Amino acid sequence: DLDIFKFLWVGRIIPWKGIDILINLSVIFRKKGFTNFKFYIFGDFDNEIYKSEIFSMIQKNDLKSFFEFQGYKSHDNIFKHYYDLFIHTSKMPEPFGRTIIENMYQGVPVFATEMGGVTDIVKDKYNGFTYGINDIDNLSNIILDFIHNDDLKKKIISNAKVTVEKYFSGKLQIEQINSLYENLWRKSILYL
């Protein structure tokens, strides 16, 4: 459906990954008159109690039409569809956000919490957006402004792809590993 703004979320569905942030964001969007969106959530719940809590929150706020839980899917199955943006909602710092890199590579603009390894990957308003986990109203404003700014979207997507190629490409990883092995080999020769 081309009329629906499609949010992507990927990960293990556990409390500190922040699915409740998406629920709160949905409530704010609706209050601001933005109702043509849907969150596509890929991942499995680790806990039936938490799953029940999340679905109860969705039902209580009458948000069922804004959420599609897809379960675990492979990378290829996720990215065979188009998404307008990827949202990262972790409430705790993560050392490295693989899903962030994957989305940047796929050309999906990234909105991520400003903590942990995320800040080493996402440069706010350059190759994605960062936000304070406790400031969902501000996040809603940033997203709503972004939706209507095609030039900014093109810039973010372009800069994200450059970032991935420059710092996270497979070729670069191979070069770094080879360099490490060469240095170790040279040092071992010295001790023989």
PDB file of all heavy atoms in Angstrom, residues 23 53 84 130 141 152:
ATOM      1  N   ILE A  23       4.631   1.899  20.581  1.00  0.00           N
ATOM      2  CA  ILE A  23       3.233   2.081  20.990  1.00  0.00           C
ATOM      3  C   ILE A  23       3.003   3.529  21.400  1.00  0.00           C
ATOM      4  O   ILE A  23       2.040   4.167  20.949  1.00  0.00           O
ATOM      5  CB  ILE A  23       2.872   1.091  22.120  1.00  0.00           C
ATOM      6  CG1 ILE A  23       2.942  -0.346  21.591  1.00  0.00           C
ATOM      7  CG2 ILE A  23       1.497   1.418  22.704  1.00  0.00           C
ATOM      8  CD1 ILE A  23       2.897  -1.416  22.650  1.00  0.00           C
ATOM      9  N   GLU A  53       1.691  -8.517  27.487  1.00  0.00           N
ATOM     10  CA  GLU A  53       1.693  -7.108  27.911  1.00  0.00           C
ATOM     11  C   GLU A  53       1.682  -6.171  26.704  1.00  0.00           C
ATOM     12  O   GLU A  53       0.947  -5.186  26.680  1.00  0.00           O
ATOM     13  CB  GLU A  53       2.916  -6.814  28.786  1.00  0.00           C
ATOM     14  CG  GLU A  53       2.866  -7.430  30.150  1.00  0.00           C
ATOM     15  CD  GLU A  53       4.184  -7.289  30.907  1.00  0.00           C
ATOM     16  OE1 GLU A  53       5.132  -6.621  30.400  1.00  0.00           O
ATOM     17  OE2 GLU A  53       4.284  -7.862  32.008  1.00  0.00           O
ATOM     18  N   ASP A  84       9.863   2.819   4.594  1.00  0.00           N
ATOM     19  CA  ASP A  84      10.194   4.242   4.560  1.00  0.00           C
ATOM     20  C   ASP A  84      11.277   4.608   5.560  1.00  0.00           C
ATOM     21  O   ASP A  84      12.060   5.523   5.310  1.00  0.00           O
ATOM     22  CB  ASP A  84       8.938   5.081   4.822  1.00  0.00           C
ATOM     23  CG  ASP A  84       7.954   4.961   3.684  1.00  0.00           C
ATOM     24  OD1 ASP A  84       8.240   5.510   2.609  1.00  0.00           O
ATOM     25  OD2 ASP A  84       6.902   4.309   3.869  1.00  0.00           O
ATOM     26  N   THR A 130      19.465  10.415  15.432  1.00  0.00           N
ATOM     27  CA  THR A 130      19.495   9.864  16.783  1.00  0.00           C
ATOM     28  C   THR A 130      18.489  10.642  17.625  1.00  0.00           C
ATOM     29  O   THR A 130      18.175  11.796  17.331  1.00  0.00           O
ATOM     30  CB  THR A 130      20.897   9.957  17.411  1.00  0.00           C
ATOM     31  OG1 THR A 130      21.334  11.310  17.425  1.00  0.00           O
ATOM     32  CG2 THR A 130      21.893   9.092  16.652  1.00  0.00           C
ATOM     33  N   ASN A 141       8.181  14.568  16.184  1.00  0.00           N
ATOM     34  CA  ASN A 141       8.376  15.783  15.381  1.00  0.00           C
ATOM     35  C   ASN A 141       9.454  15.591  14.322  1.00  0.00           C
ATOM     36  O   ASN A 141       9.288  16.015  13.171  1.00  0.00           O
ATOM     37  CB  ASN A 141       8.740  16.975  16.278  1.00  0.00           C
ATOM     38  CG  ASN A 141       7.585  17.405  17.151  1.00  0.00           C
ATOM     39  OD1 ASN A 141       6.421  17.221  16.803  1.00  0.00           O
ATOM     40  ND2 ASN A 141       7.902  17.980  18.295  1.00  0.00           N
ATOM     41  N   LEU A 152      16.185  15.941   2.141  1.00  0.00           N
ATOM     42  CA  LEU A 152      16.866  15.412   3.321  1.00  0.00           C
ATOM     43  C   LEU A 152      16.918  13.890   3.259  1.00  0.00           C
ATOM     44  O   LEU A 152      17.950  13.288   3.557  1.00  0.00           O
ATOM     45  CB  LEU A 152      16.167  15.877   4.602  1.00  0.00           C
ATOM     46  CG  LEU A 152      16.764  15.376   5.915  1.00  0.00           C
ATOM     47  CD1 LEU A 152      18.220  15.815   6.064  1.00  0.00           C
ATOM     48  CD2 LEU A 152      15.924  15.870   7.093  1.00  0.00           C
TER      49      LEU A 152
END
